[in-house]
Amino acid sequence: MSNTPMAASPLTRAVLEIDEYASGLGWDQPARLFALVDTARLRTQEPALASQLGLRDGQESTALTPIEQDEIPAGKPLDEFLGTIAWPAAVVGCALTVERLMLPPSAEASVPQGLSEARLAKWVAEHPDRQEVRMTVGVLRNGTRDSALRLREKDSPTEVLTGGALVPGLAEALAATFED
């Protein structure tokens, strides 16, 4: 992947790879869920799948390979859907990419109180300072987290913000998919 720093952690590289993949699909896409598997283990245990995914011998042994899962059911709230997931032992992490509208911190004071979730979503969608953002969040079984945020108005690989604490609520929801 051309835009991923080689010094980045395996999780950061996986999150950026997913962000780049989602970017290639364009905007206004549904949420996408990915299993993260150990690349070296995948090549050893599933050589046909590794070949199909274009994984070559000699690639970094600490790399993670994202494998897109079935489509997330339309109309089902994301938190409810994530609550139904259980990963097999071979999956070392997971990631989700989702688009949302967000407001700058300066707009928080003007949010009307007492709105239903639907009315609040409508209010945000009509706010003049709203921004569309694609969030890609990844977590590992061991608790490691990372995220990539891309604004639609700055849709460039050089404008992607990364960090482990950028989307804590979504990271928590993904981490919960690994709890027994």
Side-chain angles (χ1 to χ4, degrees):
M1 197 177 18
S2 58
N3 297 314
T4 305
M6 289 310 295
S9 75
L11 181 56
T12 301
R13 287 195 303 275
V15 164
L16 287 171
E17 180 178 342
I18 293 166
D19 172 76
E20 189 173 315
Y21 166 74
S23 177
L25 298 172
W27 286 86
D28 304 318
Q29 296 292 315
R32 296 175 187 279
L33 181 66
F34 298 81
L36 300 176
V37 297
D38 178 273
T39 302
R41 185 174 175 189
L42 179 64
R43 277 197 308 265
T44 302
Q45 295 181 350
E46 298 285 343
L49 177 58
S51 177
Q52 183 180 357
L53 293 172
L55 302 175
R56 302 175 313 278
D57 285 335
Q59 280 184 299
E60 182 185 350
S61 61
T62 61
L64 297 170
T65 298
I67 300 175
E68 188 169 3
Q69 303 301 290
D70 291 336
E71 192 171 301
I72 295 173
K76 187 166 191 170
L78 193 55
D79 58 342
E80 286 181 25
F81 171 73
L82 291 175
T84 67
I85 295 176
W87 298 104
V91 175
V92 298
C94 66
L96 181 81
T97 185
V98 64
E99 296 175 15
R100 292 291 185 256
L101 292 177
M102 69 175 208
L103 295 175
S106 60
E108 286 182 25
S110 65
V111 175
Q113 299 299 309
L115 293 180
S116 68
E117 192 171 321
R119 299 219 37 208
L120 178 60
K122 184 177 190 298
W123 183 86
V124 170
E126 294 172 350
H127 195 283
D129 295 331
R130 75 187 177 283
Q131 293 185 334
E132 291 178 75
V133 63
R134 181 181 303 117
M135 303 175 286
T136 304
V137 180
V139 299
L140 299 180
R141 282 186 189 272
N142 68 11
T144 304
R145 300 167 180 201
D146 213 335
S147 311
L149 297 180
R150 182 187 293 245
L151 295 174
R152 189 172 191 156
E153 73 177 29
K154 295 183 178 185
D155 193 1
S156 163
T158 61
E159 296 288 337
V160 176
L161 179 64
T162 60
L166 296 176
V167 192
L170 187 51
E172 283 294 322
L174 290 172
T177 66
F178 291 105
E179 294 175 2
D180 294 331

